[in-house]
């Protein structure tokens, strides 16, 4: 409701101002965009005179943190209430960009007419005041939390709260006048009902959200025999290296001779053994300490043990185990970023067959149209998103649209609406509708910049289902996390890290920025906890999110710039397969695989400097990753849970 409110009135507690729940709500409001607001406090005059001064000081300190330049109004007398009303009426309205360019409406009344063929789907009549922009009947309407719909017509019924009530003079007594109020006008509503606009099928926006894929569109031609022969000849030429070696040197010995002025490491064959020290823990038992423990056990009361048992009953052991595993994974990712163990039961060339090596992550080329998934055939993409957005916004500012003007009380006839929307409204939830700009019903890839909310420390893994509030939309999806950089490739992040802005990538309907973004996670009790806030960055399917895996090996024998490395691979074929990929070490050395040794995955490697025995040899492999298609627009607010949470701690009268 705060997204469509003209003004928000914050009522503060006279003693505390607001509690932790209020602070959490303020964080959400500030993140999504706060409209015009006023601060008032109720009940200060009811306190003892001495406590009134302390309460005002405490309130002013609390208000300064969140609202540093705002005045706190009192609301204890009739005169102060009049001042508050004047403040609400005369204050300058703040504008939110995402709603100023769209028509929106808060339903004052809703009526459902079931369809003739199917009672589960029908026409929803929504009545309310138009805000933001002129509402055209041919545009699409988004009902928040339920999806996009088409409108049949727009009516103009009698305004239930007219600013200038109609005055009817009596024919018998001209001096006598009578105001027609909203209740009297209900009977005449059918007579006064005017149809403003009816939908034109030729000009109406389509509900098509996805492209129908053409299975023949991605067909590729197979290379000819001549092209394959040319590639083989090129590989043979490039693999041959000419060296000057002493007469009688075998090919195996020639591999150990360096190309330039480097010395052979054959004379210095040394094993860099790592000594392992076993530390024994001495057990010391003291008789006096045992007696103390027995005495402590005797002094424990039954009441405490009962409380402990009750506490254990509330603990979900399975959820605790899952959370512990996630904390371990997050910790390991911080200590050893992207490092994975090479599997022993599956060949590395099969396990990592979709990965490739890069000379430089920043400068090496990568085609954004290469190896796209099947879901990319279903989305829409702009040739130039920025120019399209600029053109649509310019039309809104300059072109005069036909339809219901801002401030009019109208009734919208929305077609093909499921009956679940009416049940949702009957539970007491607000019904909010936004008109969509051109293309905003179509699916694409959205990128959003978010920062972790400091109040939430629970680990959040990539591809977990989250609840998104993006501008006026609310939906579920499983996002990817990546680094927020200016390069053409962006490294995939396995967890939503704190203190660093990350980019969230997800399949969702097109939304034109600016738009605020809030990420929530649904708890087991049904409540939503805020985990991150930010803004919409772009609608760009070509933004490349690159996942990195790091394979690690250990130096076994070191000969100056040569070394035998083991435990990176476990068979000879894997070493040959990954031979072209560059190696690096944790201490800054760079090198290449020269050849495999034996059949157990040992390999001879050359580096640009001498290795230390404590160093670790690493191989970086990369592949492009894409989000999962898990978009779900049906996200009702947790109304029953919210009411039960509030009613448990606040008296019912205060809740009203």
């Amino acid at each position: 409701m705060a997204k469509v409110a003209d003004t928000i009135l914050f009522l503060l507690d006279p003693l505390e101002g607001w509690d932790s729940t209020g602070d959490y709500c303020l964080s959400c409001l500030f993140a999504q965009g706060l409209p015009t607001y006023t601060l008032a406090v109720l009940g200060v005059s009811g306190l003892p005179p001495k406590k009134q001064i302390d309460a005002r000081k405490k309130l002013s300190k609390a208000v300064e943190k969140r609202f540093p330049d705002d005045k706190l109004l009192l609301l204890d007398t009739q005169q102060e209430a009049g001042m508050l009303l004047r403040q609400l009426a005369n204050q300058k309205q703040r504008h939110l960009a995402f709603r100023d360019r769209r028509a929106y409406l808060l339903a004052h009344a809703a009526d459902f007419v079931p369809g003739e063929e199917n009672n589960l789907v029908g026409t929803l009549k929504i009545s309310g005041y138009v805000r933001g922009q002129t509402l055209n009947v041919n545009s699409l309407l988004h009902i928040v939390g339920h999806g996009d719909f088409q409108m049949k017509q727009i009516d103009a019924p009698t305004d239930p709260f007219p600013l200038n009530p109609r005055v009817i003079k009596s024919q018998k007594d001209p001096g006598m006048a009578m105001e027609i109020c909203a209740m009297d006008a209900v009977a005449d509503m059918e007579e006064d009902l005017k149809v403003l606009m009816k939908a034109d099928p030729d000009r109406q926006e389509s509900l098509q959200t996805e492209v129908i894929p053409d299975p023949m569109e991605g067909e590729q031609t197979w290379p000819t025999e001549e092209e394959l022969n040319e590639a083989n000849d090129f590989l043979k030429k490039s693999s041959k290296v000419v060296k000057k070696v002493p007469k009688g040197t075998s090919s195996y010995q020639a591999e150990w001779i360096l190309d330039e002025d480097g010395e052979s490491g054959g004379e210095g064959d040394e094993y860099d053994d790592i000594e392992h020290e076993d530390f024994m823990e001495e057990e010391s038992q003291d008789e006096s300490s045992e007696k103390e423990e027995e005495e402590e056990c005797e002094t424990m009361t039954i009441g405490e043990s009962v409380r402990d048992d009750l506490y254990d009953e509330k603990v979900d052991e399975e959820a605790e185990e899952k959370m512990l595993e996630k904390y371990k994974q997050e910790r390991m990712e911080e200590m050893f970023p992207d490092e994975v163990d090479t599997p022993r039961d599956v060949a590395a060339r099969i396990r990592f067959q979709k990965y490739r090596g890069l000379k430089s992550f920043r400068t090496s080329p990568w085609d954004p149209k290469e190896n796209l998934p099947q879901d990319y055939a279903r989305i829409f993409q702009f040739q130039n998103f920025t120019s399209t957005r600029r053109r649509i916004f310019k039309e809104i500012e300059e072109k005069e649209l036909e339809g219901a003007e801002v401030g009019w009380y109208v009734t919208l006839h929305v077609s093909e609406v499921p009956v679940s929307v009416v049940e949702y409204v009957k539970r007491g939830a607000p019904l909010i509708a936004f008109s969509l700009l051109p293309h905003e019903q179509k699916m694409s890839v959205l990128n959003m910049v978010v920062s972790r909310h400091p109040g939430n420390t629970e680990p959040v893994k990539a591809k977990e289902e989250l609840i998104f509030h993006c501008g006026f939309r609310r939906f579920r999806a499983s996002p990817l996390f990546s680094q927020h950089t200016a390069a053409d490739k962006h490294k995939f992040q396995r967890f939503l890290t704190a203190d660093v802005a990350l980019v969230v990538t997800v399949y969702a309907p097109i939304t034109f920025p600016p738009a605020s973004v809030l990420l929530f996670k649904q708890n087991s009790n049904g409540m939503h906890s805020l985990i991150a806030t930010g803004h919409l960055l772009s609608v760009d399917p070509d933004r490349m999110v690159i996942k990195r895996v790091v394979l690690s090996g250990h130096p076994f024998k070191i000969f100056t710039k040569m070394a035998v490395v083991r435990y990176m691979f476990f068979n000879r074929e894997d070493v040959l397969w990954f031979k072209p990929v560059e190696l690096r070490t944790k201490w800054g050395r760079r090198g290449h695989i020269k050849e495999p040794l034996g059949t157990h995955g040992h390999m001879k490697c050359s580096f640009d400097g001498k290795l230390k025995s404590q160093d670790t040899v690493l191989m970086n492999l990369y592949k492009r990753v894409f989000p999962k298609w898990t978009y779900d627009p049906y996200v009702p607010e947790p109304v029953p849970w919210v009411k039960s949470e509030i009613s448990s701690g606040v008296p019912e009268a205060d809740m009203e």
Side-chain angles (χ1 to χ4, degrees):
M1 289 187 73
K3 289 180 180 178
V4 295
D6 294 330
T7 302
I8 295 180
L9 174 62
F10 291 112
L11 283 177
L12 277 65
D13 181 79
L15 297 175
E16 298 295 331
W18 56 79
D19 57 4
S20 58
T21 306
D23 195 64
Y24 172 78
C25 294
L26 285 175
S27 298
C28 297
L29 291 173
F30 275 94
Q32 74 180 15
L34 191 64
T36 312
Y37 62 89
T38 300
L39 303 170
V41 60
L42 183 67
V44 174
S45 61
L47 298 173
K50 291 183 179 179
K51 287 188 176 181
Q52 285 187 21
I53 300 171
D54 295 336
R56 290 187 181 186
K57 287 182 180 179
K58 195 172 183 180
L59 283 173
S60 62
K61 285 184 180 180
V63 168
E64 270 185 28
K65 293 180 181 178
R66 286 283 190 179
F67 311 95
D69 301 323
D70 293 300
K71 185 180 178 182
L72 184 63
L73 301 178
L74 298 176
L75 191 58
D76 291 326
T77 65
Q78 194 72 22
Q79 184 180 1
E80 290 170 348
M83 288 178 60
L84 177 62
L85 285 174
R86 282 193 294 274
Q87 166 81 4
L88 293 172
N90 298 327
Q91 66 186 156
K92 187 179 178 181
Q93 292 290 313
R94 300 176 69 180
H95 294 280
L96 299 179
F98 79 90
R99 73 180 190 183
D100 285 347
R101 295 187 176 94
R102 301 170 179 86
Y104 57 93
L105 177 142
L106 172 64
H108 176 254
D111 185 27
F112 183 74
V113 180
E116 296 178 359
E117 298 178 359
N118 188 0
N119 292 333
L120 298 177
V121 178
T123 301
L124 182 66
K125 296 180 181 179
I126 307 173
S127 300
Y129 293 94
V130 179
R131 290 283 188 268
Q133 289 287 336
T134 302
L135 179 59
N136 190 289
V137 72
N138 293 318
S139 61
L140 296 178
L141 195 73
H142 176 79
I143 298 178
V144 177
H146 298 281
D148 306 332
F149 304 94
Q150 289 180 328
M151 291 180 282
K152 289 181 180 177
Q153 69 182 48
I154 301 177
D155 299 338
T158 304
D159 191 342
F161 307 105
L163 292 175
N164 299 310
R166 287 185 299 167
V167 177
I168 299 176
K169 292 186 177 180
S170 174
Q171 294 179 357
K172 295 180 181 179
D173 186 0
M176 184 179 176
M178 177 181 64
E179 287 188 356
I180 298 180
C181 65
M183 295 301 292
D184 298 329
V186 173
D188 302 329
M189 191 172 289
E190 293 297 329
E191 298 177 7
D192 297 338
L193 190 67
K194 296 178 183 177
V195 178
L196 290 178
M197 289 185 75
K198 285 196 173 183
D200 184 358
D202 297 330
R203 298 172 58 190
Q204 199 170 27
E205 288 280 347
S206 171
L207 279 171
Q208 183 186 1
T209 59
E210 301 176 18
V211 179
I212 300 172
D214 183 2
M216 300 301 293
E217 191 176 358
E219 185 182 7
Q220 296 181 352
T221 56
W222 190 257
T224 62
E225 290 187 9
E226 293 180 1
E227 291 174 336
L228 291 172
N229 292 333
E230 286 179 10
N232 289 331
D233 293 340
F234 177 76
L235 287 173
K236 288 177 182 178
K237 289 178 182 178
S238 61
S239 62
K240 292 179 180 178
V241 179
V242 179
K243 288 185 180 181
K244 289 183 178 180
V245 296
K247 195 173 182 180
T249 305
S250 66
S251 59
Y252 175 78
Q253 291 171 330
E255 289 291 333
W256 288 89
I257 298 176
L258 300 180
D259 295 335
E260 297 178 357
D261 296 333
E263 295 179 358
S264 173
E267 295 178 359
D269 291 355
E270 294 179 356
Y271 285 89
D272 292 336
D273 296 330
I274 301 173
E275 297 181 359
H276 299 280
E277 297 181 0
D278 297 328
F279 296 94
M280 302 293 292
E281 294 184 357
E282 297 180 359
E283 297 181 358
S284 59
Q285 298 180 353
D286 192 357
E287 294 180 0
S288 61
S289 65
E290 289 180 2
K291 290 179 181 179
E292 287 177 3
E293 288 178 3
E294 291 176 2
E295 289 175 1
E296 287 177 2
C297 293
E298 289 177 358
T299 57
M300 289 176 67
T301 61
I302 299 173
E304 289 179 344
S305 68
V306 169
R307 279 202 297 271
D308 288 343
D309 294 341
L310 292 174
Y311 181 82
D312 289 339
E313 286 178 3
K314 297 177 183 178
V315 175
D316 187 350
E317 293 185 4
E318 187 177 349
E320 288 281 314
E321 286 293 327
K322 289 181 180 178
M323 190 57 62
L324 177 61
E325 185 62 29
K326 284 175 68 174
Y327 274 112
K328 285 181 179 179
Q329 290 177 4
E330 187 180 36
R331 180 64 177 156
M332 289 297 291
E333 183 65 21
E334 290 177 6
M335 295 172 63
F336 307 101
D338 301 325
E339 284 195 35
V340 297
D341 294 328
T342 307
R344 305 196 64 173
D345 54 342
V346 180
R349 62 187 182 279
I350 296 173
R351 167 64 180 84
F352 303 110
Q353 60 185 340
K354 294 183 179 179
Y355 290 80
R356 68 182 72 175
L358 294 178
K359 182 75 176 174
S360 168
F361 182 79
R362 186 177 62 86
T363 60
S364 295
W366 196 311
D367 186 2
K369 304 295 185 185
E370 175 189 352
N371 292 334
L372 297 177
Q374 191 65 31
D375 287 335
Y376 262 54
R378 302 164 60 187
I379 64 172
F380 289 85
Q381 185 172 3
F382 295 96
Q383 190 170 3
N384 191 327
F385 177 75
T386 306
S387 63
T388 304
R389 171 177 169 271
R390 194 182 297 119
R391 175 180 57 80
I392 290 173
F393 286 178
K394 191 176 181 181
E395 287 179 0
I396 294 170
E397 294 172 2
E398 298 178 355
K399 192 176 178 182
E400 293 185 3
L401 298 174
E402 297 179 356
E405 298 288 337
V406 177
W408 288 7
Y409 186 81
V410 297
T411 298
L412 310 180
H413 294 248
V414 189
S415 57
E416 301 295 324
V417 178
V419 72
S420 59
V421 179
V422 184
E423 295 171 356
Y424 173 71
V425 176
K426 286 179 180 177
R427 291 193 340 235
L431 185 66
I432 296 165
F434 275 85
S435 69
L436 298 182
L437 299 179
H439 311 297
E440 283 196 328
Q441 80 278 15
K442 299 171 182 175
M443 294 292 289
S444 190
V445 178
L446 270 61
N447 303 300
M448 315 166 192
V449 180
V450 300
S451 298
R452 189 71 186 263
H453 186 255
N456 190 293
T457 57
E458 182 182 326
V460 180
K461 205 172 181 180
K463 300 183 182 179
E464 276 190 45
E465 188 183 74
L466 301 176
I467 297 169
F468 286 74
H469 287 234
C470 180
F472 56 90
R473 290 187 187 273
R474 190 169 69 233
F475 57 89
R476 295 178 190 271
S478 300
L480 295 180
F481 304 139
S482 59
Q483 291 180 349
H484 183 33
T485 56
D488 63 334
K489 295 183 287 294
H490 312 272
K491 196 172 85 65
F492 170 77
Q493 295 290 110
R494 288 173 169 81
F495 287 89
L496 184 63
T497 53
D499 304 325
V500 179
L502 295 180
V503 175
V504 175
T505 303
V506 69
Y507 289 115
I510 293 166
T511 303
F512 291 103
S516 59
V517 173
L518 284 79
L519 267 63
F520 291 86
K521 191 172 182 182
Q522 187 161 341
N523 299 330
S524 57
N525 62 352
M527 294 295 290
H528 298 170
S529 59
L530 181 67
I531 61 170
T533 60
H535 64 275
L536 180 60
L537 176 65
S538 65
V539 180
D540 184 14
D542 285 345
R543 188 180 190 275
M544 292 188 290
V545 180
I546 308 298
K547 183 178 182 180
R548 182 183 73 171
V549 298
V550 179
L551 306 181
S552 58
H554 304 278
F556 177 45
K557 300 178 183 178
I558 298 176
F559 318 106
T560 61
K561 294 183 179 181
M562 287 282 190
V564 176
V565 179
R566 60 179 177 179
Y567 303 147
M568 183 178 287
F569 303 109
F570 297 101
N571 60 70
R572 184 183 184 89
E573 290 76 15
D574 285 344
V575 177
L576 293 170
W577 179 269
F578 290 100
K579 187 177 178 182
V581 183
E582 187 182 28
L583 301 174
R584 67 177 184 89
T585 71
K586 287 193 174 181
W587 290 6
R589 300 268 71 89
R590 290 184 174 272
H592 286 88
I593 299 172
K594 299 292 288 183
E595 66 173 355
L597 298 176
T599 60
H600 295 283
H602 293 205
M603 54 190 182
K604 183 169 64 175
C605 307
S606 64
F607 295 89
D608 58 359
K610 185 174 181 179
L611 248 63
K612 302 290 184 182
S613 60
Q614 304 91 335
D615 207 349
T616 305
V617 181
L618 306 173
M619 177 182 286
N620 293 341
L621 300 174
Y622 304 90
K623 78 166 181 178
R624 186 178 177 185
V625 290
F626 301 90
K628 291 183 178 180
W629 193 292
T630 55
Y631 171 75
D632 180 12
Y634 306 107
V635 187
E637 293 177 353
V639 177
W641 292 284
V642 171
K643 286 186 176 178
S644 64
E645 285 286 326
I646 294 174
S647 61
S648 63
V650 182
E652 194 167 340
D654 295 347
M655 185 176 73
E656 294 292 324

